[in-house]
Amino acid sequence: QVQLVESGGGLVQVGDSLRLSCAASGRTFSSGTMGWFRQAPGKEREFVAGISWSAGRTYFKDSVKGRFSISRDNAKNTVYLQMNSLEPGDTAVYYCAASPRLYSWHEYDYWGQGTQVTVSS
């Protein structure tokens, strides 16, 4: 089993930045894929960004390209989502996810509990 714990959410203003963290523990893997998803009220959960553990290859939802970045610290088993120029449409619960499969951008086996991000105008 892999445990994922997100942190870093909060209430910010339009144009502000936030950095989310996801700490993995348990049966972690040196390869595979980590991802961030979000779910806004009344909407389905959607993919935001992903990164491969080994090479650090990244993949993003089109609407966040240029504003969000994803990175990982293999030594700390932690993945980060840096969010800049936040917009009201970014308001959602953000979830971290893990997959043992490489480049599994949209399919994950393990999920965190989520962290709330609210962007106020």
Side-chain angles (χ1 to χ4, degrees):
Q1 285 285 359
V2 175
Q3 292 78 44
L4 303 173
V5 179
E6 303 98 333
S7 62
L11 172 64
V12 296
Q13 301 293 316
V14 170
D16 284 352
S17 298
L18 270 180
R19 188 178 79 158
L20 305 182
S21 300
C22 173
S25 62
R27 191 178 176 183
T28 56
F29 26 84
S30 58
S31 59
T33 309
M34 296 292 291
W36 285 97
F37 286 69
R38 67 186 182 188
Q39 187 168 21
K43 295 186 178 181
E44 293 188 355
R45 187 165 57 188
E46 63 178 4
F47 171 82
V48 176
I51 188 167
S52 62
W53 266 123
S54 54
R57 180 179 172 182
T58 59
Y59 183 68
F60 293 93
K61 173 181 172 64
D62 284 346
S63 64
V64 307
K65 287 180 181 177
R67 298 191 298 124
F68 291 11
S69 62
I70 187 171
S71 61
R72 87 273 191 238
D73 185 329
N74 296 62
K76 296 182 178 179
N77 284 330
T78 300
V79 174
Y80 305 97
L81 183 69
Q82 177 67 43
M83 306 185 293
N84 300 326
S85 302
L86 283 162
E87 306 167 350
D90 296 317
T91 295
V93 177
Y94 283 71
Y95 297 92
C96 176
S99 167
R101 296 172 294 279
L102 188 60
Y103 306 142
S104 178
W105 303 121
H106 298 284
E107 295 185 8
Y108 294 84
D109 301 82
Y110 305 97
W111 295 85
Q113 294 299 307
T115 184
Q116 176 71 47
V117 172
T118 304
V119 184
S120 173
S121 56

